[in-house]
Amino acid sequence: MTSRQAGEQRPFNFSPGPATLPEEVLQQAADELLNWHGSGMGVMEMSHRSQDFISICEQAESDLRGLLALPQDFHILFLQGGGIGQNAIAPLNLSQGGVVDFVVTGSWSSKSHEEAGRYVKAAPLAASGAASGYTDIPDLAAWQLSPQAAYVHLCSNETIQGVQFPEFPDLAALGSTAPLVVDCSSDIASRPMDWQRVGMAFAGAQKNLGPAGLTLVLIREELLGRALPICPSAFNYELVARSQSMYNTPPTWGIYLLGLTARWMLRQREGQQTGLAALAARNERQAAKLYAAIDASDFYINRVNPAVRSRMNVPFTLADESLTRRFLDGAEQRGLLQLQGHSSVGGMRASLYNAMTDEGVDALVAYLQDFERYAG
Ligand code: PMP
């Protein structure tokens, strides 16, 4: 693709991550790329110990805390290693080598479960959606929680299967005293979240927060200091928290872009609502429109229980799967990019992260209707 002319519209990008970012954010980053605020340096070129970068980092952290309404007893850590890194880092920091309960609702929680098994005494499945083909979340009343669990792990939004917890479960109401650990890589900052129910949450930045290479950890003060001796120092939550994420060089460019994105999210409005409430309303409206188009005929299929359908990632298949390639090629010609489903499940997937616009969803819905008329 050639570079864009002024005023030309960008294509709509439905990538599952790294994903589309707000155009205003990209534009500001481009404007500041060579010379940040008259410093004569770009952010990528600054020492992480410099006053300029420390101010960028503190502002990003405080804007993110405000946006998420994160309580003061949570630390915000900026790490590297991604969500998959956290699959090992979380048990190394929190399991104390004991028992960890897993709720498996799709590929990502399944991967977390497998990895944790290498570091803990036991990782029993408290609940699994496997029997439904990961089209549903097992009823909370049937979860089998271990009395001695060091924590309970779940994934709030399964990016591949498109299954999302409508809200975090209240473990205390289920009779458990274990802290909840949430992989919210693909729905962080997409809606208000009840942090009272959470002990630790992690997310790769590359969906709603910024570029790949930055991993966010939100952790309660009381859960620090539990790391196993073999935990690498650079990933020891307590060491990183005590050094304001500067134990080693943090992903500075990612933190800067997260800061710009947090500012953008704080500015968002939908009617009377602002910030996360506005984004949640927008995300819900966009997802409802797309699911309605998919459900409108038998031509497109999404088998997830409507009560737990993801508002971020909408997977779907064609009843006639031999048309999949043609669907994807036609989409691309219309400027609807990266709609291919994950290789493990095939079909299509439209990711509707915060930066997706109503125009993008309308264009996709129009394409769905046109393709069905043409090929159906
Ligand atoms: N968890 C979830 C929910 C994800 O969507 C992803 C990536 N798509 C991961 C974990 C893995 O993240 P990473 O590739 O950054 O390690």
Side-chain angles (χ1 to χ4, degrees), residues 70-339:
L70 191 71
Q72 284 304 324
D73 60 327
F74 274 82
H75 293 271
I76 294 179
L77 311 184
F78 298 127
L79 292 166
Q80 311 201 32
I84 293 204
Q86 287 302 314
N87 287 346
I89 297 164
L92 283 168
N93 274 278
L94 300 174
S95 73
Q96 299 179 298
V99 174
V100 177
D101 280 341
F102 274 80
V103 176
V104 171
T105 53
S107 302
W108 290 112
S109 45
S110 176
K111 250 187 177 10
S112 303
H113 180 225
E114 267 168 45
E115 181 79 358
R118 303 173 58 188
Y119 303 101
V120 302
K121 188 167 83 186
L125 272 183
S128 168
S132 72
Y134 298 124
T135 58
D136 210 346
I137 291 177
D139 194 9
L140 269 57
W143 289 14
Q144 299 195 322
L145 298 168
S146 315
Q148 75 283 30
Y151 64 89
V152 178
H153 175 110
L154 60 81
C155 175
S156 53
N157 182 64
E158 285 285 357
T159 321
I160 295 175
Q161 282 79 14
V163 168
Q164 186 176 28
F165 278 83
E167 57 176 12
F168 295 148
D170 180 359
L171 292 187
L174 300 178
S176 169
T177 53
L180 181 65
V181 167
V182 185
D183 174 359
C184 52
S185 292
S186 52
D187 66 353
I188 180 80
S190 67
R191 56 179 175 169
M193 290 176 166
D194 185 353
W195 300 111
Q196 296 309 331
R197 296 180 173 184
V198 175
M200 188 279 261
F202 65 86
Q206 67 268 23
K207 287 104 161 53
N208 272 333
L209 302 178
L214 167 64
T215 314
L216 183 70
V217 167
L218 312 173
I219 183 164
R220 277 183 197 277
E221 166 72 23
E222 69 192 29
L223 295 180
L224 298 178
R226 300 184 179 192
L228 293 171
I230 58 160
C231 179
S233 306
F235 297 123
N236 179 311
Y237 294 153
E238 184 177 34
L239 288 181
V240 177
R242 301 287 175 243
S243 47
Q244 285 73 46
S245 298
M246 305 271 180
Y247 180 77
N248 68 332
T249 312
T252 54
W253 175 248
I255 292 169
Y256 161 70
L257 277 176
L258 174 142
L260 297 186
T261 309
R263 278 279 164 110
W264 176 85
M265 292 192 270
L266 285 163
R267 287 199 298 275
Q268 297 311 294
R269 288 192 158 275
E270 288 284 330
Q272 298 300 309
Q273 295 174 310
T274 58
L276 280 200
L279 289 164
R282 188 182 302 164
N283 290 330
E284 191 172 340
R285 182 180 68 232
Q286 292 181 356
K289 200 180 256 183
L290 182 52
Y291 285 116
I294 290 167
D295 291 341
S297 78
D298 297 334
F299 190 80
Y300 299 104
I301 300 164
N302 170 294
R303 296 195 197 283
V304 177
N305 172 1
V308 298
R309 280 175 164 179
S310 171
R311 288 157 184 178
M312 293 281 96
N313 311 98
V314 181
F316 59 97
T317 52
L318 294 164
D320 178 356
E321 294 198 10
S322 71
L323 298 174
T324 300
R325 188 70 262 158
R326 212 184 332 151
F327 179 95
L328 290 168
D329 290 346
E332 200 161 315
Q333 279 164 18
R334 284 212 193 179
L336 306 170
L337 307 184
Q338 306 202 74
L339 279 164

